[in-house]
Amino acid sequence: MSSPDVAVQAPLLRTPHHMDEDDHREPEAYESNGDDAATLLHAGYGRPSPARAYFIRSLALLCACSLSIGSHYATYILGPLKSRLSREMGTNNTEFSLLISAFSLNSTWTPLVGGVLASRLGTTLTSILATGVIFLGQACLLVGNLSDSVRLMALGMFVFGLGVSPLAVVQETIIVRFFRSHGLGVSLALGLVAGKGASFISALTSYPLSQRFGPHAPFYASTLLTAFSFTINLVYVFSSKWLVRESGTELEASELHAEAHSRAASAAAEDMSEAEALKEVAKKRMVYLRDITKLGDVFWAYIGLNVLCGAVWAPFTHLVANILQRRYDLTESDASTKGSYVLAGSVFLYPITGFVVDRVKKRNFVMQLFLLSAMLTLACYVWLVLPPALTKTPIPAVVSFALGHGFSPLLLVVIVPRIVPLKYVSTTLGAHKALEQTGSTIFQTLAGLALDIKSKKSAEKLLPIDGDDRDIQYLLNAFLILNLFEILGIIGLARLDRKQKEATARRMSSLLPSTIEESDEETDSPHHGKEPGSEDEHWQAESSEHSRHRRSSTLSRHLPLPSASTPEQSIPLLHGPSRTSTVRGSRYLVEAIVDTEPTDPPAKVKVLRTKAEVRRGELFAVLCGVLIAFAWVLFMGTAWLKLRSREERGGAGSGNYTGYPIRS
């Protein structure tokens, strides 16, 4: 079978009389191969040359890069304008934090939906929905700024946030789809660096634009750029089928369904098997949200780490300009410029990191890089926590954070295909975004409330965003503590991942029998009847003798197998007293990743989770839901109590607010 990156000329389905002696396989086992989907769709088209396939994938990457330019620029225009908005509109710390939290709030659930939508509707349709919502939210934000309504601005950021995370999931899924076997690290880096570059330019130019062209100029710029991304997305929508076909890219489940229905409607009776085969492959690639409870402890350790990363990274990037202004007594312009450089590291570190990750095949190398990034951000917070009279300048802290944060978000994405099979990549990316934004929303809202605690003596002399020195000190201490927990989380994730892959590798090579705890309880539990086509029947087909033989022959190239004369050779991979018990335990059967050689890609195998591990997954899923609910309650309660009208803020008007002195 040809590699999945090129189209092939082959019969859509090979009947037994077309098969060679070594190719007698059941149709179901044959259809589950990832190459078959590409064959089924691309049959009838010529094989593209490697140069042409590379060119087509580059076009797809260019489109994917352009999708997030507008959203990334719009995300970071508010941070440098915090003092200006306070002076001209009378906003306080809580109101500013609510503006930021308004867009990250929806990101606590939309990435999960975005991951499922990407699996069900396809990346093409999901992306156009996301960019359209982003453009609508920015238009609303612009109107709110023109009318001096913080509430309308918060509504605009709320709508804007509906599309931001789904778009990020879709963008990363598109890149993984086109480049999973063609330099994924560099491709992801180039895809993400476009957005990070837009973020840096936004933070760098937001305040100068407001000075040169008026207070509304940054909002006009962000609205125009989101419109640009929406236009590029339309181009991708109309060209997506051509890009997939010409590059020989593997099909998505939604495309398989569409192709199956198309062929079923137009094909003759003898060709109906092709449509049925497409439907079967699409069914096997469908991902259900409940499946995440079976992904294991490593997955949940990764999700918990995302919560900490969200609290450590994003709030600081939005508050850094105001922190530097107050901590080191800088002007608004100087603090805005210096603060913008915390986003500069990604622009040049993303490509370098992607290149290094693709070239260095050492096990746990990505985890080691991740730990290094956490140490660099920790150094930033340690510097800022020290007395300003001792440190004198914020530059070392800015440089340290820019370097640490400059490649860590990329590593969070690169880790995903290494801990879950490709089938679950989009869903895992969605969960990663959702919980990262949950941590960000909670800490951003709490930070705004904390910064509004002022001493009574100085409250009348300060801007609404100012307080005494203690509130900034407490905030920086909190950042420092959370960063320490992040480091512990990285170490724990690395240990769990290594232990799980070693155990799976031992079972795959049959060096140790695969014992499943509490299997007797599972066997004794009542087995409820399943309708044809149910999940249990599907798993039973997947674990058939032919499928096991094919997986064994595939992995034999990478894993050491014992001699046929040894007793371990007869030990089945999926331990159980009979096939019936395996079916009964199919609730705990899931795909997993096992390391082979450092120079080879990870192998995908079927493993049986223990009942305790699945129950832990269910518990962690509930805890994640509770955490997301808490973020919503915290935001809604704070917004209800703290968001003020224009009259309540003192009748402020853009550029005309004079209730507080100008600090410049």
Short mmCIF file of all heavy atoms in Angstrom, two decimals, residues 327-366:
data_model
loop_
_atom_site.label_atom_id
_atom_site.label_comp_id
_atom_site.label_asym_id
_atom_site.label_seq_id
_atom_site.Cartn_x
_atom_site.Cartn_y
_atom_site.Cartn_z
N ARG A 327 5.07 49.03 38.89
CA ARG A 327 6.17 48.45 39.66
C ARG A 327 7.45 49.28 39.51
O ARG A 327 8.22 49.44 40.46
CB ARG A 327 6.41 47.02 39.18
CG ARG A 327 7.36 46.19 40.04
CD ARG A 327 6.70 45.76 41.32
NE ARG A 327 7.48 44.75 42.02
CZ ARG A 327 7.24 44.39 43.28
NH1 ARG A 327 6.27 44.98 43.95
NH2 ARG A 327 7.96 43.45 43.86
N TYR A 328 7.69 49.80 38.29
CA TYR A 328 8.94 50.52 38.01
C TYR A 328 8.70 51.98 37.66
O TYR A 328 9.61 52.65 37.16
CB TYR A 328 9.69 49.82 36.88
CG TYR A 328 10.19 48.44 37.27
CD1 TYR A 328 9.42 47.31 37.01
CD2 TYR A 328 11.40 48.28 37.93
CE1 TYR A 328 9.86 46.05 37.38
CE2 TYR A 328 11.85 47.03 38.30
CZ TYR A 328 11.07 45.91 38.03
OH TYR A 328 11.52 44.67 38.40
N ASP A 329 7.50 52.49 37.90
CA ASP A 329 7.17 53.89 37.70
C ASP A 329 7.49 54.35 36.27
O ASP A 329 8.14 55.37 36.05
CB ASP A 329 7.93 54.76 38.71
CG ASP A 329 7.30 56.15 38.84
OD1 ASP A 329 6.09 56.29 38.53
OD2 ASP A 329 8.02 57.09 39.22
N LEU A 330 7.01 53.57 35.29
CA LEU A 330 7.24 53.89 33.89
C LEU A 330 6.06 54.68 33.33
O LEU A 330 4.97 54.69 33.90
CB LEU A 330 7.41 52.60 33.07
CG LEU A 330 8.52 51.64 33.51
CD1 LEU A 330 8.49 50.39 32.64
CD2 LEU A 330 9.88 52.32 33.45
N THR A 331 6.29 55.34 32.19
CA THR A 331 5.19 56.00 31.50
C THR A 331 4.32 54.96 30.79
O THR A 331 4.75 53.81 30.59
CB THR A 331 5.72 57.00 30.47
OG1 THR A 331 6.43 56.27 29.45
CG2 THR A 331 6.64 58.03 31.12
N GLU A 332 3.12 55.35 30.39
CA GLU A 332 2.24 54.42 29.68
C GLU A 332 2.88 53.91 28.40
O GLU A 332 2.83 52.71 28.09
CB GLU A 332 0.91 55.11 29.35
CG GLU A 332 0.02 55.36 30.54
CD GLU A 332 -1.28 56.03 30.12
OE1 GLU A 332 -1.66 55.89 28.94
OE2 GLU A 332 -1.92 56.68 30.97
N SER A 333 3.49 54.81 27.65
CA SER A 333 4.10 54.43 26.38
C SER A 333 5.28 53.48 26.60
O SER A 333 5.40 52.46 25.90
CB SER A 333 4.57 55.68 25.63
OG SER A 333 5.20 55.33 24.42
N ASP A 334 6.14 53.79 27.56
CA ASP A 334 7.31 52.96 27.83
C ASP A 334 6.89 51.59 28.35
O ASP A 334 7.43 50.54 27.94
CB ASP A 334 8.21 53.66 28.84
CG ASP A 334 9.60 53.03 28.93
OD1 ASP A 334 9.98 52.33 27.96
OD2 ASP A 334 10.29 53.24 29.94
N ALA A 335 5.92 51.56 29.27
CA ALA A 335 5.45 50.29 29.82
C ALA A 335 4.79 49.44 28.74
O ALA A 335 4.96 48.22 28.69
CB ALA A 335 4.48 50.54 30.96
N SER A 336 4.03 50.10 27.84
CA SER A 336 3.38 49.38 26.75
C SER A 336 4.41 48.75 25.82
O SER A 336 4.27 47.59 25.41
CB SER A 336 2.47 50.32 25.97
OG SER A 336 1.97 49.71 24.82
N THR A 337 5.45 49.49 25.49
CA THR A 337 6.48 48.97 24.59
C THR A 337 7.25 47.82 25.22
O THR A 337 7.44 46.77 24.60
CB THR A 337 7.46 50.10 24.20
OG1 THR A 337 6.74 51.16 23.58
CG2 THR A 337 8.52 49.59 23.25
N LYS A 338 7.68 48.02 26.46
CA LYS A 338 8.44 46.96 27.14
C LYS A 338 7.57 45.73 27.35
O LYS A 338 8.03 44.58 27.17
CB LYS A 338 8.98 47.47 28.48
CG LYS A 338 10.17 48.42 28.37
CD LYS A 338 10.70 48.78 29.74
CE LYS A 338 12.03 49.53 29.66
NZ LYS A 338 11.93 50.81 28.96
N GLY A 339 6.31 45.93 27.73
CA GLY A 339 5.42 44.80 27.97
C GLY A 339 5.13 44.00 26.71
O GLY A 339 4.91 42.78 26.78
N SER A 340 5.12 44.66 25.56
CA SER A 340 4.81 43.95 24.32
C SER A 340 5.86 42.89 23.98
O SER A 340 5.55 41.91 23.30
CB SER A 340 4.70 44.94 23.16
OG SER A 340 5.96 45.53 22.86
N TYR A 341 7.08 43.06 24.47
CA TYR A 341 8.15 42.14 24.11
C TYR A 341 8.03 40.77 24.80
O TYR A 341 8.76 39.85 24.44
CB TYR A 341 9.51 42.77 24.41
CG TYR A 341 9.88 43.84 23.40
CD1 TYR A 341 9.81 45.18 23.74
CD2 TYR A 341 10.25 43.50 22.11
CE1 TYR A 341 10.12 46.17 22.81
CE2 TYR A 341 10.56 44.48 21.18
CZ TYR A 341 10.49 45.82 21.54
OH TYR A 341 10.79 46.78 20.61
N VAL A 342 7.11 40.63 25.76
CA VAL A 342 6.91 39.30 26.33
C VAL A 342 6.28 38.37 25.29
O VAL A 342 6.34 37.14 25.43
CB VAL A 342 6.03 39.35 27.60
CG1 VAL A 342 6.65 40.20 28.68
CG2 VAL A 342 4.61 39.81 27.27
N LEU A 343 5.69 38.94 24.23
CA LEU A 343 5.09 38.14 23.16
C LEU A 343 6.02 37.96 21.97
O LEU A 343 5.65 37.29 21.00
CB LEU A 343 3.79 38.80 22.68
CG LEU A 343 2.69 38.96 23.74
CD1 LEU A 343 1.55 39.81 23.18
CD2 LEU A 343 2.18 37.61 24.19
N ALA A 344 7.20 38.56 22.04
CA ALA A 344 8.10 38.52 20.88
C ALA A 344 8.81 37.19 20.72
O ALA A 344 9.20 36.82 19.60
CB ALA A 344 9.14 39.64 20.98
N GLY A 345 9.00 36.46 21.80
CA GLY A 345 9.77 35.22 21.72
C GLY A 345 9.19 34.20 20.77
O GLY A 345 9.93 33.50 20.07
N SER A 346 7.85 34.12 20.71
CA SER A 346 7.21 33.11 19.85
C SER A 346 7.53 33.31 18.38
O SER A 346 7.56 32.34 17.62
CB SER A 346 5.69 33.16 20.05
OG SER A 346 5.35 32.94 21.40
N VAL A 347 7.76 34.56 17.98
CA VAL A 347 7.95 34.85 16.56
C VAL A 347 9.16 34.12 16.00
O VAL A 347 9.13 33.58 14.88
CB VAL A 347 8.08 36.37 16.34
CG1 VAL A 347 8.34 36.68 14.87
CG2 VAL A 347 6.82 37.08 16.82
N PHE A 348 10.25 34.03 16.76
CA PHE A 348 11.44 33.35 16.25
C PHE A 348 11.68 31.99 16.91
O PHE A 348 12.35 31.13 16.34
CB PHE A 348 12.68 34.24 16.42
CG PHE A 348 13.04 34.56 17.85
CD1 PHE A 348 13.90 33.77 18.57
CD2 PHE A 348 12.52 35.69 18.47
CE1 PHE A 348 14.23 34.06 19.88
CE2 PHE A 348 12.85 36.00 19.78
CZ PHE A 348 13.70 35.17 20.49
N LEU A 349 11.11 31.76 18.12
CA LEU A 349 11.35 30.49 18.79
C LEU A 349 10.44 29.38 18.28
O LEU A 349 10.81 28.20 18.34
CB LEU A 349 11.15 30.65 20.31
CG LEU A 349 12.28 31.37 21.05
CD1 LEU A 349 11.94 31.51 22.52
CD2 LEU A 349 13.59 30.61 20.89
N TYR A 350 9.25 29.70 17.78
CA TYR A 350 8.37 28.66 17.26
C TYR A 350 9.02 27.88 16.11
O TYR A 350 9.04 26.64 16.14
CB TYR A 350 7.04 29.27 16.82
CG TYR A 350 5.96 29.24 17.89
CD1 TYR A 350 6.28 29.35 19.24
CD2 TYR A 350 4.63 29.12 17.55
CE1 TYR A 350 5.31 29.33 20.20
CE2 TYR A 350 3.63 29.10 18.52
CZ TYR A 350 3.98 29.21 19.84
OH TYR A 350 3.01 29.17 20.81
N PRO A 351 9.52 28.56 15.07
CA PRO A 351 10.16 27.79 13.98
C PRO A 351 11.37 26.99 14.45
O PRO A 351 11.57 25.85 14.03
CB PRO A 351 10.56 28.87 12.97
CG PRO A 351 9.69 30.03 13.27
CD PRO A 351 9.49 30.00 14.75
N ILE A 352 12.19 27.61 15.32
CA ILE A 352 13.38 26.91 15.81
C ILE A 352 12.98 25.67 16.61
O ILE A 352 13.52 24.57 16.42
CB ILE A 352 14.24 27.86 16.68
CG1 ILE A 352 14.78 29.01 15.82
CG2 ILE A 352 15.38 27.10 17.35
CD1 ILE A 352 15.51 30.06 16.63
N THR A 353 11.99 25.83 17.49
CA THR A 353 11.54 24.71 18.31
C THR A 353 10.94 23.60 17.44
O THR A 353 11.20 22.41 17.67
CB THR A 353 10.50 25.18 19.34
OG1 THR A 353 11.06 26.24 20.12
CG2 THR A 353 10.09 24.04 20.25
N GLY A 354 10.13 24.00 16.46
CA GLY A 354 9.55 23.00 15.56
C GLY A 354 10.61 22.21 14.82
O GLY A 354 10.52 20.99 14.68
N PHE A 355 11.64 22.91 14.34
CA PHE A 355 12.73 22.25 13.63
C PHE A 355 13.47 21.29 14.55
O PHE A 355 13.77 20.15 14.18
CB PHE A 355 13.70 23.31 13.07
CG PHE A 355 14.89 22.73 12.36
CD1 PHE A 355 14.79 22.34 11.03
CD2 PHE A 355 16.10 22.59 13.01
CE1 PHE A 355 15.89 21.81 10.37
CE2 PHE A 355 17.20 22.07 12.37
CZ PHE A 355 17.09 21.67 11.03
N VAL A 356 13.76 21.73 15.77
CA VAL A 356 14.50 20.90 16.72
C VAL A 356 13.69 19.67 17.10
O VAL A 356 14.22 18.55 17.17
CB VAL A 356 14.88 21.73 17.96
CG1 VAL A 356 15.46 20.82 19.05
CG2 VAL A 356 15.89 22.82 17.59
N VAL A 357 12.39 19.86 17.36
CA VAL A 357 11.54 18.73 17.75
C VAL A 357 11.47 17.69 16.65
O VAL A 357 11.46 16.48 16.91
CB VAL A 357 10.13 19.24 18.12
CG1 VAL A 357 9.14 18.08 18.23
CG2 VAL A 357 10.17 20.01 19.43
N ASP A 358 11.43 18.13 15.39
CA ASP A 358 11.39 17.19 14.27
C ASP A 358 12.70 16.43 14.11
O ASP A 358 12.71 15.28 13.67
CB ASP A 358 11.06 17.93 12.97
CG ASP A 358 9.58 18.21 12.82
OD1 ASP A 358 8.78 17.56 13.52
OD2 ASP A 358 9.22 19.07 12.01
N ARG A 359 13.81 17.08 14.44
CA ARG A 359 15.12 16.47 14.19
C ARG A 359 15.61 15.62 15.36
O ARG A 359 16.25 14.60 15.17
CB ARG A 359 16.16 17.55 13.89
CG ARG A 359 15.90 18.32 12.60
CD ARG A 359 15.93 17.42 11.39
NE ARG A 359 15.74 18.15 10.15
CZ ARG A 359 14.57 18.45 9.62
NH1 ARG A 359 13.46 18.07 10.24
NH2 ARG A 359 14.48 19.11 8.48
N VAL A 360 15.34 16.04 16.57
CA VAL A 360 15.83 15.33 17.76
C VAL A 360 14.80 14.26 18.14
O VAL A 360 13.66 14.59 18.49
CB VAL A 360 16.06 16.29 18.94
CG1 VAL A 360 16.55 15.51 20.16
CG2 VAL A 360 17.08 17.35 18.55
N LYS A 361 15.18 13.01 18.04
CA LYS A 361 14.27 11.90 18.29
C LYS A 361 14.47 11.27 19.67
O LYS A 361 13.95 10.20 19.94
CB LYS A 361 14.47 10.81 17.22
CG LYS A 361 14.26 11.30 15.80
CD LYS A 361 12.85 11.86 15.60
CE LYS A 361 12.64 12.32 14.17
NZ LYS A 361 11.28 12.87 13.97
N LYS A 362 15.16 11.95 20.53
CA LYS A 362 15.40 11.43 21.87
C LYS A 362 14.10 11.37 22.65
O LYS A 362 13.29 12.29 22.62
CB LYS A 362 16.40 12.34 22.59
CG LYS A 362 16.74 11.88 24.00
CD LYS A 362 17.72 12.86 24.65
CE LYS A 362 18.00 12.46 26.09
NZ LYS A 362 18.91 13.44 26.75
N ARG A 363 13.89 10.26 23.35
CA ARG A 363 12.68 10.11 24.15
C ARG A 363 12.63 11.17 25.25
O ARG A 363 13.64 11.52 25.85
CB ARG A 363 12.62 8.72 24.77
CG ARG A 363 12.30 7.61 23.78
CD ARG A 363 11.94 6.32 24.50
NE ARG A 363 11.61 5.27 23.55
CZ ARG A 363 12.45 4.34 23.15
NH1 ARG A 363 13.68 4.34 23.62
NH2 ARG A 363 12.08 3.41 22.31
N ASN A 364 11.42 11.67 25.52
CA ASN A 364 11.18 12.68 26.56
C ASN A 364 11.85 14.01 26.27
O ASN A 364 11.93 14.87 27.16
CB ASN A 364 11.62 12.17 27.94
CG ASN A 364 10.78 11.02 28.43
OD1 ASN A 364 9.58 10.98 28.20
ND2 ASN A 364 11.42 10.05 29.08
N PHE A 365 12.35 14.22 25.04
CA PHE A 365 12.99 15.49 24.73
C PHE A 365 11.99 16.64 24.81
O PHE A 365 12.33 17.73 25.29
CB PHE A 365 13.61 15.43 23.33
CG PHE A 365 14.26 16.70 22.88
CD1 PHE A 365 15.41 17.15 23.50
CD2 PHE A 365 13.71 17.47 21.86
CE1 PHE A 365 16.02 18.33 23.09
CE2 PHE A 365 14.29 18.65 21.45
CZ PHE A 365 15.46 19.08 22.06
N VAL A 366 10.76 16.41 24.34
CA VAL A 366 9.75 17.47 24.39
C VAL A 366 9.44 17.84 25.84
O VAL A 366 9.29 19.03 26.16
CB VAL A 366 8.47 17.01 23.65
CG1 VAL A 366 7.35 18.03 23.84
CG2 VAL A 366 8.75 16.82 22.17
#
